[in-house]
Amino acid sequence: MAKSKTLYQCTECGGQLPKWQGQCPHCRAWNTLVETVAVPPSRRFDNLSGSRSEVRALSSVETSDAPRIQTGMVEFDRVLGGGFVPGEVVLLGGDPGIGKSTLLLQAVAALGASRRALYVTGEESVEQVALRAHRLGLINAPVELLAEVQLEAVLAVLEKERPELVVIDSIQTMYTESLSSAPGSVAQVRECAARFTRFAKERGMVLVLIGHVTKEGAIAGPRVLEHIVDAVLYFEGDTHSSYRLIRAMKNRFGAANELGVFGMTEHGLKGVANPSALFLSRHAQPVPGTAVMATMEGSRPLLVEIQALVDPVMSGMMSRRLAVGVDPQRLALLLAVLHRHGGTQVGGFDVFINVVGGVRIDEPAADLAVLMAIYSSYKNKALDGKLIVFGEVGLAGEIRPVQRGQERIREAVKLGFKKILLPDPNKPKRLAEDIEIVGISRIDEALSILTG
């Protein structure tokens, strides 16, 4: 096979050079030249005559709602938006050993009974994959395996076999002969992902790419990798814990920030029916410094416990602020609001915040729960054990409404909570007989519930 001509392109300005050098002569940036395939002029402009492409009116395009391809794993299908869409390309990233290969092997095995599925492994041999399948009880599943790392060879097999679902484990191990750089380099990952994506779109097959992550937690390779795929999923969790979270960071066919919760067992990953129970501590009696809030993860309401510890600063030490699971900048803002509008000064105290279960909360609906937990620890008085809190806190001390308040209330009622503290505009018109809902508009009203 003739080798394609390559050149080096600057990732900052787009300038091109025939040979690599440390500094781009166009923008003077250092170490920004990456290898790429040179497109011949004849191929680059062969569509300008209009012989292959045509302009179509939007109203003339016929669309059809293709049925979703469900894996049977409820939590995985939830994150995908109801299942795979024909022609969809999904990128799944996560830390080593988190369970990415296990999850997709289970999904392929579940779909193999009704659809032709192919698992392409570039990191393991087919014997090693079979050992994992035997451990998971899937050794007799109708799954086809291919151990190959060369892009052209994989595409030739896909063209011949025409599977409906393909898993590439992993995209960083694939390489194309048209580039001389090593597998896993920026140029190889970008070129292989682009050609896999184009192939899947043209044939209408589902393609799942497993991606490695860097030490910062981002998927390794060029950022464009996340732009060319239809969905980006992140597998999260502590390798020392039996629970795993899958979060959709991007999804063209479903809701972003959707969350799926799994438990790792001897027989693989199992969906967790009641994930709210994972993020709530079990106290025999209410303890100071804890507040339970209702948050939204995509379309799913979750109850999580926020813990705070306010402790006097040791002599000669600087006060510390540490937030795990919430934005540290948001914590500094809330402490200033607590001082100005709540009359509570914590300048001489260390303030520590933690969200139970390792979940991260990015929405402002956690503001009120964080403040109540801090104030509870500061006063050494416990909140009601059956109390749920949520609401956004403004800089003027007002409690602002949040979205989807009714769903948060229903989740709290389902888990047996009896009292809800929320923004006054989120207070429902019809109240359940067995629950007390308190609407507030100012931060001092919320604090008075604890002191009064």
Side-chain angles (χ1 to χ4, degrees):
M1 179 178 177
K3 198 170 185 179
S4 301
K5 182 180 179 181
T6 62
L7 52 82
Y8 294 86
Q9 186 174 26
C10 178
T11 58
E12 296 292 330
C13 68
Q16 296 180 346
L17 295 174
K19 295 194 304 182
W20 185 88
Q21 58 188 58
Q23 186 182 36
C24 173
H26 303 284
C27 65
R28 302 298 179 184
W30 288 92
N31 300 321
T32 57
L33 294 176
V34 295
E35 187 182 25
T36 186
V37 178
V39 180
S42 58
R43 289 173 51 195
R44 195 182 307 162
F45 303 110
D46 58 3
N47 284 336
L48 294 182
S49 62
S51 59
R52 298 187 182 181
S53 302
E54 61 178 356
V55 177
R56 296 180 62 184
L58 177 62
S59 58
S60 67
V61 180
E62 296 182 0
T63 60
S64 59
D65 293 331
R68 294 271 186 168
I69 302 174
Q70 296 184 344
T71 64
M73 304 175 70
V74 178
E75 292 297 304
F76 193 32
D77 290 337
R78 170 192 288 273
V79 178
L80 292 169
F84 292 112
V85 175
E88 181 179 14
V89 180
V90 179
L91 177 62
L92 175 64
D95 293 329
I98 202 71
K100 303 183 295 297
S101 300
T102 298
L103 172 70
L104 292 180
L105 184 59
Q106 289 182 243
V108 168
L111 286 172
S114 58
R115 301 176 184 274
R116 193 171 186 184
L118 177 64
Y119 191 99
V120 181
T121 172
E123 300 183 348
E124 301 174 299
S125 65
V126 291
E127 290 79 12
Q128 290 174 316
V129 177
L131 285 175
R132 181 188 295 113
H134 190 277
R135 186 175 70 251
L136 299 176
L138 304 174
I139 193 62
N140 295 320
V143 178
E144 296 177 316
L145 303 177
L146 172 65
E148 183 59 68
V149 294
Q150 186 187 21
L151 172 68
E152 290 77 11
V154 175
L155 292 180
V157 173
L158 297 183
E159 182 65 39
K160 177 183 177 181
E161 301 295 336
R162 295 297 180 97
E164 295 181 70
L165 173 65
V166 180
V167 174
I168 306 295
D169 186 8
S170 65
I171 188 60
Q172 277 82 12
T173 62
M174 297 292 153
Y175 77 94
T176 173
E177 289 186 339
S178 60
L179 296 175
S180 59
S181 54
S185 64
V186 171
Q188 288 283 3
V189 172
R190 178 175 57 190
E191 182 67 17
C192 292
R195 291 181 62 180
F196 272 130
T197 300
R198 185 163 57 248
F199 186 90
K201 297 291 184 182
E202 291 173 353
R203 276 107 179 134
M205 65 175 59
V206 177
L207 177 67
V208 183
L209 306 174
I210 294 180
H212 297 166
V213 297
T214 62
K215 61 182 180 180
E216 290 81 15
I219 295 179
R223 193 66 178 180
V224 70
L225 183 62
E226 299 187 14
H227 293 292
I228 64 176
V229 300
D230 298 308
V232 178
L233 311 181
Y234 275 89
F235 216 165
E236 306 170 357
D238 188 352
T239 54
H240 302 290
S241 172
S242 60
Y243 295 106
R244 303 288 188 270
L245 306 178
I246 298 183
R247 191 184 304 274
M249 306 305 295
K250 169 190 174 182
N251 195 347
R252 289 175 179 158
F253 306 110
N257 291 323
E258 195 69 74
L259 187 71
V261 184
F262 293 87
M264 180 66 80
T265 68
E266 295 180 355
H267 302 289
L269 291 162
K270 305 293 183 182
V272 177
N274 183 19
S276 292
L278 302 179
F279 308 120
L280 298 178
S281 294
R282 294 291 181 262
H283 303 294
Q285 297 292 332
V287 296
T290 62
V292 180
M293 72 156 296
T295 184
M296 296 298 301
E297 292 290 348
S299 61
R300 157 180 277 166
L302 287 178
L303 301 187
V304 298
E305 181 175 330
I306 295 179
Q307 298 179 339
L309 176 62
V310 179
D311 192 52
V313 175
M314 296 181 63
S315 177
M317 300 291 289
M318 296 285 293
S319 60
R320 292 176 293 173
R321 306 287 186 261
L322 178 62
V324 178
V326 295
D327 185 5
Q329 302 298 325
R330 195 76 182 176
L331 173 60
L333 181 149
L334 294 175
L335 292 178
V337 173
L338 181 63
H339 177 214
R340 175 62 65 88
H341 302 286
T344 303
Q345 170 63 269
V346 293
F349 294 82
D350 293 328
V351 179
F352 304 98
I353 299 293
N354 178 55
V355 181
V356 173
V359 68
R360 179 169 181 82
I361 304 175
D362 295 318
E363 63 168 346
D367 291 352
L368 187 57
V370 171
L371 277 184
M372 292 297 287
I374 292 173
Y375 194 68
S376 170
S377 178
Y378 178 76
K379 291 293 187 179
N380 199 29
K381 294 184 63 175
L383 292 167
D384 189 343
K386 292 295 183 178
L387 174 67
I388 290 288
V389 181
F390 64 85
E392 179 182 354
V393 177
L395 292 180
E398 78 278 14
I399 307 299
R400 304 175 61 84
V402 299
Q403 296 181 348
R404 307 176 74 170
Q406 296 294 330
E407 297 180 34
R408 303 172 197 258
I409 294 174
R410 283 195 292 268
E411 182 71 9
V413 173
K414 183 175 71 174
L415 293 181
F417 286 83
K418 300 298 183 181
K419 187 175 181 180
I420 301 178
L421 185 65
L422 44 65
D424 195 62
N426 285 124
K427 189 174 181 179
K429 296 180 180 180
R430 294 185 178 181
L431 305 180
E433 295 181 358
D434 58 344
I435 190 169
E436 179 185 359
I437 298 182
V438 180
I440 56 175
S441 58
R442 299 285 304 173
I443 182 63
D444 51 352
E445 298 177 23
L447 301 181
S448 64
I449 293 177
L450 186 62
T451 57

